[in-house]
PDB file of all heavy atoms in Angstrom:
ATOM      1  N   LEU A  35       5.300  10.139  -6.843  1.00 92.00           N
ATOM      2  CA  LEU A  35       6.262  10.276  -7.949  1.00 92.00           C
ATOM      3  C   LEU A  35       5.570  10.398  -9.305  1.00 92.00           C
ATOM      4  O   LEU A  35       5.856  11.317 -10.076  1.00 92.00           O
ATOM      5  CB  LEU A  35       7.233   9.086  -7.969  1.00 92.00           C
ATOM      6  CG  LEU A  35       8.193   8.982  -6.805  1.00 92.00           C
ATOM      7  CD1 LEU A  35       9.034   7.715  -6.914  1.00 92.00           C
ATOM      8  CD2 LEU A  35       9.096  10.208  -6.728  1.00 92.00           C
ATOM      9  N   PHE A  36       4.681   9.472  -9.606  1.00 93.00           N
ATOM     10  CA  PHE A  36       3.999   9.488 -10.901  1.00 93.00           C
ATOM     11  C   PHE A  36       3.217  10.789 -11.081  1.00 93.00           C
ATOM     12  O   PHE A  36       3.270  11.412 -12.143  1.00 93.00           O
ATOM     13  CB  PHE A  36       3.095   8.269 -11.042  1.00 93.00           C
ATOM     14  CG  PHE A  36       2.288   8.256 -12.304  1.00 93.00           C
ATOM     15  CD1 PHE A  36       2.900   8.121 -13.532  1.00 93.00           C
ATOM     16  CD2 PHE A  36       0.910   8.384 -12.268  1.00 93.00           C
ATOM     17  CE1 PHE A  36       2.159   8.113 -14.707  1.00 93.00           C
ATOM     18  CE2 PHE A  36       0.163   8.372 -13.425  1.00 93.00           C
ATOM     19  CZ  PHE A  36       0.788   8.237 -14.652  1.00 93.00           C
ATOM     20  N   SER A  37       2.494  11.204 -10.051  1.00 90.00           N
ATOM     21  CA  SER A  37       1.702  12.441 -10.156  1.00 90.00           C
ATOM     22  C   SER A  37       2.586  13.657 -10.371  1.00 90.00           C
ATOM     23  O   SER A  37       2.315  14.501 -11.227  1.00 90.00           O
ATOM     24  CB  SER A  37       0.858  12.628  -8.893  1.00 90.00           C
ATOM     25  OG  SER A  37      -0.145  11.651  -8.830  1.00 90.00           O
ATOM     26  N   LYS A  38       3.663  13.769  -9.596  1.00 90.00           N
ATOM     27  CA  LYS A  38       4.551  14.936  -9.724  1.00 90.00           C
ATOM     28  C   LYS A  38       5.270  14.941 -11.069  1.00 90.00           C
ATOM     29  O   LYS A  38       5.389  15.982 -11.709  1.00 90.00           O
ATOM     30  CB  LYS A  38       5.579  14.961  -8.575  1.00 90.00           C
ATOM     31  CG  LYS A  38       4.962  15.280  -7.240  1.00 90.00           C
ATOM     32  CD  LYS A  38       4.355  16.655  -7.250  1.00 90.00           C
ATOM     33  CE  LYS A  38       3.719  16.977  -5.928  1.00 90.00           C
ATOM     34  NZ  LYS A  38       2.992  18.231  -5.938  1.00 90.00           N
ATOM     35  N   TRP A  39       5.763  13.785 -11.482  1.00 92.00           N
ATOM     36  CA  TRP A  39       6.480  13.726 -12.751  1.00 92.00           C
ATOM     37  C   TRP A  39       5.553  13.916 -13.939  1.00 92.00           C
ATOM     38  O   TRP A  39       5.977  14.424 -14.976  1.00 92.00           O
ATOM     39  CB  TRP A  39       7.257  12.415 -12.863  1.00 92.00           C
ATOM     40  CG  TRP A  39       8.440  12.352 -11.926  1.00 92.00           C
ATOM     41  CD1 TRP A  39       9.047  13.409 -11.316  1.00 92.00           C
ATOM     42  CD2 TRP A  39       9.131  11.197 -11.499  1.00 92.00           C
ATOM     43  NE1 TRP A  39      10.080  12.964 -10.535  1.00 92.00           N
ATOM     44  CE2 TRP A  39      10.155  11.610 -10.632  1.00 92.00           C
ATOM     45  CE3 TRP A  39       8.983   9.848 -11.752  1.00 92.00           C
ATOM     46  CZ2 TRP A  39      11.042  10.724 -10.026  1.00 92.00           C
ATOM     47  CZ3 TRP A  39       9.858   8.958 -11.154  1.00 92.00           C
ATOM     48  CH2 TRP A  39      10.878   9.392 -10.301  1.00 92.00           C
ATOM     49  N   THR A  40       4.294  13.522 -13.822  1.00 91.00           N
ATOM     50  CA  THR A  40       3.337  13.737 -14.910  1.00 91.00           C
ATOM     51  C   THR A  40       3.135  15.230 -15.130  1.00 91.00           C
ATOM     52  O   THR A  40       3.020  15.681 -16.277  1.00 91.00           O
ATOM     53  CB  THR A  40       1.988  13.045 -14.605  1.00 91.00           C
ATOM     54  OG1 THR A  40       2.223  11.639 -14.502  1.00 91.00           O
ATOM     55  CG2 THR A  40       0.975  13.288 -15.706  1.00 91.00           C
ATOM     56  N   GLU A  41       3.109  16.004 -14.060  1.00 89.00           N
ATOM     57  CA  GLU A  41       2.993  17.463 -14.195  1.00 89.00           C
ATOM     58  C   GLU A  41       4.177  18.044 -14.946  1.00 89.00           C
ATOM     59  O   GLU A  41       4.023  18.991 -15.716  1.00 89.00           O
ATOM     60  CB  GLU A  41       2.917  18.111 -12.812  1.00 89.00           C
ATOM     61  CG  GLU A  41       1.652  17.834 -12.056  1.00 89.00           C
ATOM     62  CD  GLU A  41       1.672  18.390 -10.641  1.00 89.00           C
ATOM     63  OE1 GLU A  41       2.718  18.935 -10.210  1.00 89.00           O
ATOM     64  OE2 GLU A  41       0.642  18.273  -9.964  1.00 89.00           O
ATOM     65  N   LYS A  42       5.365  17.469 -14.748  1.00 91.00           N
ATOM     66  CA  LYS A  42       6.581  18.026 -15.337  1.00 91.00           C
ATOM     67  C   LYS A  42       6.906  17.475 -16.723  1.00 91.00           C
ATOM     68  O   LYS A  42       7.355  18.213 -17.588  1.00 91.00           O
ATOM     69  CB  LYS A  42       7.773  17.771 -14.408  1.00 91.00           C
ATOM     70  CG  LYS A  42       7.664  18.539 -13.121  1.00 91.00           C
ATOM     71  CD  LYS A  42       8.846  18.322 -12.245  1.00 91.00           C
ATOM     72  CE  LYS A  42       8.623  19.110 -10.961  1.00 91.00           C
ATOM     73  NZ  LYS A  42       9.724  19.069 -10.065  1.00 91.00           N
ATOM     74  N   MET A  43       6.698  16.162 -16.936  1.00 91.00           N
ATOM     75  CA  MET A  43       7.153  15.571 -18.192  1.00 91.00           C
ATOM     76  C   MET A  43       6.074  14.842 -18.977  1.00 91.00           C
ATOM     77  O   MET A  43       6.364  14.267 -20.013  1.00 91.00           O
ATOM     78  CB  MET A  43       8.342  14.640 -17.921  1.00 91.00           C
ATOM     79  CG  MET A  43       8.051  13.444 -17.082  1.00 91.00           C
ATOM     80  SD  MET A  43       9.480  12.382 -16.814  1.00 91.00           S
ATOM     81  CE  MET A  43      10.211  13.115 -15.386  1.00 91.00           C
ATOM     82  N   GLY A  44       4.858  14.837 -18.493  1.00 89.00           N
ATOM     83  CA  GLY A  44       3.770  14.165 -19.196  1.00 89.00           C
ATOM     84  C   GLY A  44       3.571  12.743 -18.698  1.00 89.00           C
ATOM     85  O   GLY A  44       4.448  12.158 -18.060  1.00 89.00           O
ATOM     86  N   ALA A  45       2.410  12.205 -19.008  1.00 88.00           N
ATOM     87  CA  ALA A  45       2.008  10.900 -18.470  1.00 88.00           C
ATOM     88  C   ALA A  45       2.887   9.753 -18.970  1.00 88.00           C
ATOM     89  O   ALA A  45       3.263   8.882 -18.197  1.00 88.00           O
ATOM     90  CB  ALA A  45       0.550  10.621 -18.817  1.00 88.00           C
ATOM     91  N   TYR A  46       3.218   9.744 -20.242  1.00 90.00           N
ATOM     92  CA  TYR A  46       3.938   8.609 -20.804  1.00 90.00           C
ATOM     93  C   TYR A  46       5.354   8.493 -20.264  1.00 90.00           C
ATOM     94  O   TYR A  46       5.782   7.419 -19.849  1.00 90.00           O
ATOM     95  CB  TYR A  46       3.934   8.672 -22.332  1.00 90.00           C
ATOM     96  CG  TYR A  46       2.533   8.675 -22.894  1.00 90.00           C
ATOM     97  CD1 TYR A  46       2.043   9.770 -23.591  1.00 90.00           C
ATOM     98  CD2 TYR A  46       1.682   7.592 -22.700  1.00 90.00           C
ATOM     99  CE1 TYR A  46       0.752   9.775 -24.079  1.00 90.00           C
ATOM    100  CE2 TYR A  46       0.398   7.594 -23.187  1.00 90.00           C
ATOM    101  CZ  TYR A  46      -0.064   8.690 -23.878  1.00 90.00           C
ATOM    102  OH  TYR A  46      -1.338   8.694 -24.359  1.00 90.00           O
ATOM    103  N   LYS A  47       6.083   9.588 -20.259  1.00 93.00           N
ATOM    104  CA  LYS A  47       7.458   9.552 -19.751  1.00 93.00           C
ATOM    105  C   LYS A  47       7.487   9.243 -18.263  1.00 93.00           C
ATOM    106  O   LYS A  47       8.320   8.467 -17.795  1.00 93.00           O
ATOM    107  CB  LYS A  47       8.163  10.877 -20.029  1.00 93.00           C
ATOM    108  CG  LYS A  47       8.498  11.096 -21.482  1.00 93.00           C
ATOM    109  CD  LYS A  47       9.170  12.438 -21.682  1.00 93.00           C
ATOM    110  CE  LYS A  47       9.392  12.715 -23.152  1.00 93.00           C
ATOM    111  NZ  LYS A  47       9.930  14.073 -23.371  1.00 93.00           N
ATOM    112  N   SER A  48       6.578   9.856 -17.511  1.00 93.00           N
ATOM    113  CA  SER A  48       6.575   9.605 -16.070  1.00 93.00           C
ATOM    114  C   SER A  48       6.157   8.169 -15.763  1.00 93.00           C
ATOM    115  O   SER A  48       6.635   7.567 -14.796  1.00 93.00           O
ATOM    116  CB  SER A  48       5.677  10.601 -15.343  1.00 93.00           C
ATOM    117  OG  SER A  48       4.344  10.452 -15.729  1.00 93.00           O
ATOM    118  N   MET A  49       5.297   7.600 -16.592  1.00 93.00           N
ATOM    119  CA  MET A  49       4.885   6.209 -16.415  1.00 93.00           C
ATOM    120  C   MET A  49       6.083   5.273 -16.591  1.00 93.00           C
ATOM    121  O   MET A  49       6.294   4.364 -15.785  1.00 93.00           O
ATOM    122  CB  MET A  49       3.801   5.874 -17.444  1.00 93.00           C
ATOM    123  CG  MET A  49       3.126   4.553 -17.241  1.00 93.00           C
ATOM    124  SD  MET A  49       1.870   4.241 -18.513  1.00 93.00           S
ATOM    125  CE  MET A  49       0.837   5.676 -18.367  1.00 93.00           C
ATOM    126  N   ILE A  50       6.873   5.507 -17.621  1.00 94.00           N
ATOM    127  CA  ILE A  50       8.056   4.684 -17.889  1.00 94.00           C
ATOM    128  C   ILE A  50       9.080   4.858 -16.772  1.00 94.00           C
ATOM    129  O   ILE A  50       9.608   3.870 -16.240  1.00 94.00           O
ATOM    130  CB  ILE A  50       8.689   5.057 -19.256  1.00 94.00           C
ATOM    131  CG1 ILE A  50       7.706   4.807 -20.402  1.00 94.00           C
ATOM    132  CG2 ILE A  50      10.000   4.318 -19.472  1.00 94.00           C
ATOM    133  CD1 ILE A  50       7.310   3.361 -20.592  1.00 94.00           C
ATOM    134  N   LEU A  51       9.363   6.104 -16.386  1.00 95.00           N
ATOM    135  CA  LEU A  51      10.358   6.367 -15.352  1.00 95.00           C
ATOM    136  C   LEU A  51       9.929   5.782 -14.004  1.00 95.00           C
ATOM    137  O   LEU A  51      10.715   5.118 -13.323  1.00 95.00           O
ATOM    138  CB  LEU A  51      10.609   7.870 -15.222  1.00 95.00           C
ATOM    139  CG  LEU A  51      11.678   8.290 -14.222  1.00 95.00           C
ATOM    140  CD1 LEU A  51      13.027   7.683 -14.580  1.00 95.00           C
ATOM    141  CD2 LEU A  51      11.779   9.807 -14.172  1.00 95.00           C
ATOM    142  N   THR A  52       8.687   5.987 -13.623  1.00 95.00           N
ATOM    143  CA  THR A  52       8.179   5.445 -12.362  1.00 95.00           C
ATOM    144  C   THR A  52       8.267   3.924 -12.370  1.00 95.00           C
ATOM    145  O   THR A  52       8.681   3.317 -11.376  1.00 95.00           O
ATOM    146  CB  THR A  52       6.707   5.880 -12.145  1.00 95.00           C
ATOM    147  OG1 THR A  52       6.636   7.297 -12.120  1.00 95.00           O
ATOM    148  CG2 THR A  52       6.160   5.325 -10.854  1.00 95.00           C
ATOM    149  N   ASN A 157      -1.591  12.767 -23.635  1.00 54.00           N
ATOM    150  CA  ASN A 157      -0.461  13.297 -22.874  1.00 54.00           C
ATOM    151  C   ASN A 157      -0.748  14.679 -22.273  1.00 54.00           C
ATOM    152  O   ASN A 157      -0.096  15.093 -21.336  1.00 54.00           O
ATOM    153  CB  ASN A 157       0.778  13.355 -23.776  1.00 54.00           C
ATOM    154  CG  ASN A 157       2.051  13.454 -22.983  1.00 54.00           C
ATOM    155  OD1 ASN A 157       2.094  13.112 -21.804  1.00 54.00           O
ATOM    156  ND2 ASN A 157       3.098  13.924 -23.628  1.00 54.00           N
ATOM    157  N   CYS A 159      -3.292  15.563 -20.573  1.00 58.00           N
ATOM    158  CA  CYS A 159      -4.139  15.529 -19.378  1.00 58.00           C
ATOM    159  C   CYS A 159      -3.315  15.792 -18.124  1.00 58.00           C
ATOM    160  O   CYS A 159      -2.111  15.631 -18.104  1.00 58.00           O
ATOM    161  CB  CYS A 159      -4.855  14.197 -19.264  1.00 58.00           C
ATOM    162  SG  CYS A 159      -3.775  12.851 -18.836  1.00 58.00           S
TER     163      CYS A 159
END
Side-chain angles (χ1 to χ4, degrees):
L35 293 177
F36 176 67
S37 291
K38 290 298 179 186
W39 290 341
T40 298
E41 291 175 356
K42 293 182 181 184
M43 64 179 87
Y46 301 115
K47 288 179 185 175
S48 64
M49 189 180 305
I50 299 296
L51 183 60
T52 301
N157 199 21
C159 71

